[in-house]
Amino acid sequence: MLDEEMDEFLKSLEEDEEESSKPQKPPPKRKTKPVNDPLTDDIDSILNDPDFETDRRKTEKPTKLQQYPPKKCSVVYIGKKESTIGQISCPNIRCMKCDCGVVCFEDFDWDGNIEYLFLRNNYPDFDRLKSKLKPVKGTIAYACQCNSVSVQKQSSVNSVKNSLKWFCGSH
């Protein structure tokens, strides 16, 4: 009895194998475009319109403004807005040490030595910083969260104070 069942089982496996090796019929093809579908007709007319192609190409090309990276100062100048030699003071200075923007106060000078914690706790609020600022015509006081300096004439950041790690944050 067991032999007969085994034979039947093997025959069924052979039949399954033969059926799987036969080439199968391909699935029926679907219609690619429904008949009288207004939405599909509208999409096709837009895609085939020559003006549509022209507009799409215009948006894909970057403009000259996008192709170039933002402008940065090679040497960062602080002080008066323009000097007699034609250098312009950088309007967007950042500090590498504290990763903060540098604020400036025209016609003010720092009163003596400014402590690190004072700047850290009061930057960038003028109302809180003014206790250490004194009004001096023609002087500009600069500060970030970790350093401060005052200048009367335009000069490069490195020539004012060597410990300053200020750079141009791009324009």
Side-chain angles (χ1 to χ4, degrees):
M1 178 109 169
L2 191 59
D3 287 337
E4 288 175 13
E5 288 177 6
M6 185 63 99
D7 286 340
E8 283 179 32
F9 177 71
L10 289 174
K11 280 183 185 180
S12 68
L13 284 177
E14 287 174 2
E15 288 172 1
D16 288 344
E17 189 177 315
E18 286 176 12
E19 286 179 17
S20 65
S21 64
K22 290 180 184 177
Q24 295 180 354
K25 294 180 183 177
K29 290 185 179 179
R30 295 183 185 178
K31 294 181 181 179
T32 57
K33 182 177 175 184
V35 179
N36 296 329
D37 183 10
L39 181 62
T40 305
D41 291 339
D42 289 342
I43 292 172
D44 286 341
S45 67
I46 291 171
L47 291 174
N48 293 328
D49 184 17
D51 291 335
F52 175 74
E53 282 294 319
T54 312
D55 292 343
R56 190 172 64 188
R57 271 188 253 124
K58 283 181 186 174
T59 58
E60 289 174 357
K61 289 183 181 178
T63 63
K64 285 189 176 186
L65 186 63
Q66 294 169 338
Q67 289 176 348
Y68 300 105
K71 194 170 149 184
K72 288 191 175 190
C73 304
S74 55
V75 177
V76 178
Y77 287 96
I78 57 175
K80 295 179 183 178
K81 298 297 178 201
E82 283 191 43
S83 71
T84 55
I85 58 173
Q87 296 294 336
I88 299 173
S89 295
C90 184
N92 191 18
I93 303 172
R94 294 196 58 82
C95 178
M96 277 191 237
K97 284 184 179 178
C98 63
D99 193 30
C100 291
V102 176
V103 293
C104 68
F105 307 106
E106 290 189 37
D107 296 327
F108 283 95
D109 192 3
W110 291 109
D111 190 20
N113 191 16
I114 309 302
E115 294 178 16
Y116 169 81
L117 282 177
F118 175 79
L119 290 172
R120 185 84 177 151
N121 292 329
N122 298 307
Y123 166 91
D125 189 6
F126 174 75
D127 292 331
R128 294 169 70 183
L129 290 171
K130 71 181 177 184
S131 64
K132 297 283 186 171
L133 288 168
K134 60 183 178 185
V136 175
K137 191 82 172 161
T139 303
I140 302 174
Y142 289 89
C144 62
Q145 260 194 347
C146 64
N147 240 319
S148 65
V149 69
S150 297
V151 293
Q152 291 180 342
K153 61 181 183 173
Q154 188 184 47
S155 51
S156 70
V157 170
N158 294 334
S159 67
V160 174
K161 196 173 183 183
N162 282 337
S163 64
L164 293 176
K165 301 293 182 197
W166 293 352
F167 67 96
C168 175
S170 79
H171 311 225

